Amino acid sequence: MVKILSVVGARPQFIKAAPVSRALRQAGIDEVLIHTGQHYDANMSDIFFDELGIPQPWANLNVGSGSHAEQTAHMLLKLEPLMVQHAPDAVLVYGDTNSTLAGALVAAKLGFKLAHVEAGLRSFNRTMPEEHNRVLTDHSADLLFCPTQNAVNLLAREGITRGVYMVGDTMFDAVLQFGDLARQRSTILQDLGLEAKNYLLATVHRPYNTDVPDNLSAIVCALADSGQTVVFPVHPRTRQRLPALNAPNLRLIEPLGYLDMLLLEQQARCILTDSGGVQKEAYFFGVPCLTLRPETEWIETLEGGWNVLVGADYARILTQLQAEAPQGVPPAVFGDGHAAQRIASILLEVLA
Ligand code: UD1
Ligand code: UDP
């Protein structure tokens, strides 16, 4: 039986991993799931395991928060003996967080095959911690599962062509698998007293925005001055830094579960975010998105004006909120909703 050791640790990784974990089980692959504990609040971690039916991790390393070196070093120390103990046929890592890099480094140094889901993404902005995690992980990986053709092309430019597979985006799989359930189960619109298509949805958590007071203040002031109801589920990183503001239209709430988030995204008039995953979900649902960053890895979403880069620029945010929304539906460029099954089949074929 093929044995995979998967490493997850942060909110977007639970969502990326859910369809893959299910597909591995269906393919008869034995999965040992390790949670690094990078995210640990119940609404940043447990809720996703419950809602998405992800099996309980074999171990939680409880590394918690810290500086990059501290957090990554704790992960390295705790992952190594577990990988030695389980001796998997391959180690699977997701996305671009410190948990991704730690899983990749330990696997590569121990000589285990390394598979990277969401390979080939680049912002070309080396001030982002994630950019280092992406580049280092891709250059250590044996199997690179790309969500888009653009990701395949970017890897080729760096000389990586072996073991590269265009499989589609597992976050698109997740939206297709859980979108209906969200519509059936979530009561978030009633709970918050919202009318469909009559509010904005905002998320902010990038250091570029949270750790630069002028940027956070420009974003929050633009939201406050938008004249529209803004629902803003606040990431714990951002909570500590938000300026005090008297703006009754700004609804600051705790981070949401996935089903509530999906419903709020589908029904929003426009989404404002610096999140990678939320930009894509806006695109999947055909909801206009303003990205609160100077650049994006997900350049496909910019086509047709579905996503517009506004940075942390007060005036641009307010101007773009007045712009006309694109018409029709965005082209399907993130696969066919079966990325996870493709990943499981390739792992079986290569490792069996
Ligand atoms: C991390 C990832 C980022 C990803 C994001 C998803 C890295 C370098 N960054 O950023 O790529 O987009 O997750 O959400 O891996 N905190 C809590 N409770 C928690 C988790 C965090 O209070 O459950 C607070 C702590 O004060 C912590 C801060 O949030 O210091 C930042 O957490 P951390 O995991 O280091 O980075 P994120 O900003 O969440
Ligand atoms: N998300 C959620 N609740 C929230 C905010 C985000 O469930 O309050 C989901 C969102 O739908 C997407 C993922 O978390 O699937 C994105 O994660 P995040 O923004 O934390 O990280 P990024 O994608 O930027 O790495």
Side-chain angles (χ1 to χ4, degrees):
M1 195 183 206
V2 169
K3 188 194 233 186
I4 300 290
L5 187 146
S6 307
V7 180
V8 293
R11 174 167 69 186
Q13 293 169 329
F14 311 137
I15 292 150
K16 290 166 202 190
V20 177
S21 211
R22 182 193 281 187
L24 294 180
R25 282 196 300 283
Q26 284 168 350
I29 294 174
D30 181 19
E31 184 187 33
V32 179
L33 184 67
I34 306 294
H35 187 329
T36 63
Q38 176 170 351
H39 286 175
Y40 43 86
D41 291 347
N43 58 12
M44 293 295 289
S45 175
D46 292 357
I47 190 165
F48 298 99
F49 286 80
D50 296 343
E51 283 189 343
L52 289 110
I54 308 168
Q56 278 311 302
W58 191 89
N60 187 322
L61 309 181
N62 291 315
V63 298
S65 307
S67 71
H68 286 277
E70 233 173 351
Q71 191 178 53
T72 313
H74 282 132
M75 290 177 194
L76 295 175
L77 285 173
K78 290 183 167 183
L79 279 170
E80 188 178 58
L82 282 179
M83 285 195 201
V84 171
Q85 177 188 347
H86 287 286
D89 296 300
V91 170
L92 193 57
V93 295
Y94 292 87
D96 55 15
T97 73
N98 288 346
S99 298
T100 316
L101 178 64
L105 276 179
V106 177
K109 297 270 181 160
L110 287 173
F112 292 123
K113 279 209 161 54
L114 174 66
H116 185 203
V117 175
E118 216 172 76
L121 271 291
R122 298 290 181 268
S123 66
F124 300 103
N125 176 353
R126 288 289 180 114
T127 67
M128 282 182 85
E130 292 82 3
E131 188 73 353
H132 299 279
N133 296 342
R134 294 178 190 125
V135 171
L136 293 166
T137 301
D138 283 340
H139 282 261
S140 311
D142 303 283
L143 299 169
L144 299 100
F145 297 122
C146 296
T148 60
Q149 187 55 43
N150 182 51
V152 175
N153 299 345
L154 289 177
L155 288 175
R157 272 171 50 180
E158 293 175 20
I160 305 176
T161 50
R162 285 186 59 184
V164 175
Y165 300 88
M166 158 56 195
V167 292
D169 195 311
T170 69
M171 289 189 96
F172 185 46
D173 294 15
V175 160
L176 294 182
Q177 288 175 19
F178 294 96
D180 282 343
L181 196 65
R183 279 184 284 272
Q184 288 159 23
R185 294 231 183 120
S186 172
T187 57
I188 190 75
L189 262 63
Q190 296 92 299
D191 298 347
L192 296 177
L194 299 168
E195 223 177 281
K197 299 296 165 189
N198 202 17
Y199 62 89
L200 310 176
L201 174 66
T203 79
V204 177
H205 73 272
R206 296 279 165 206
Y208 165 78
N209 288 324
T210 57
D211 298 3
V212 181
D214 284 351
N215 287 351
L216 189 56
S217 161
I219 291 170
V220 173
C221 290
L223 296 176
D225 294 347
S226 66
Q228 305 189 48
T229 300
V230 185
V231 182
F232 186 170
V234 184
H235 190 287
R237 174 184 202 105
T238 315
R239 173 71 71 182
Q240 303 157 6
R241 296 164 170 86
L242 272 182
L245 205 73
N246 179 19
N249 66 319
L250 204 50
R251 308 277 297 271
L252 303 180
I253 57 174
E254 289 298 309
L256 292 166
Y258 185 57
L259 300 181
D260 283 342
M261 189 64 184
L262 285 188
L263 196 73
L264 274 183
E265 288 173 345
Q266 286 174 60
Q267 299 301 341
R269 174 183 289 168
C270 177
I271 295 175
L272 300 99
T273 189
D274 60 10
S275 156
V278 175
Q279 281 175 67
K280 282 189 289 178
E281 287 162 358
Y283 185 88
F284 301 156
F285 290 129
V287 173
C289 181
L290 303 185
T291 289
L292 304 164
R293 285 178 47 195
E295 79 286 301
T296 180
E297 305 77 50
W298 301 105
I299 54 169
E300 301 81 359
T301 60
L302 301 174
E303 295 281 324
W306 289 99
N307 188 9
V308 177
L309 300 174
V310 291
D313 184 324
Y314 175 89
R316 277 176 72 188
I317 296 170
L318 289 179
T319 306
Q320 280 302 325
L321 277 174
Q322 302 303 323
E324 209 164 303
Q327 298 298 308
V329 281
V333 290
F334 290 94
D336 59 2
H338 297 289
Q341 278 150 281
R342 240 170 247 122
I343 290 169
S345 306
I346 295 164
L347 288 172
L348 260 188
E349 199 182 301
V350 174
L351 304 172

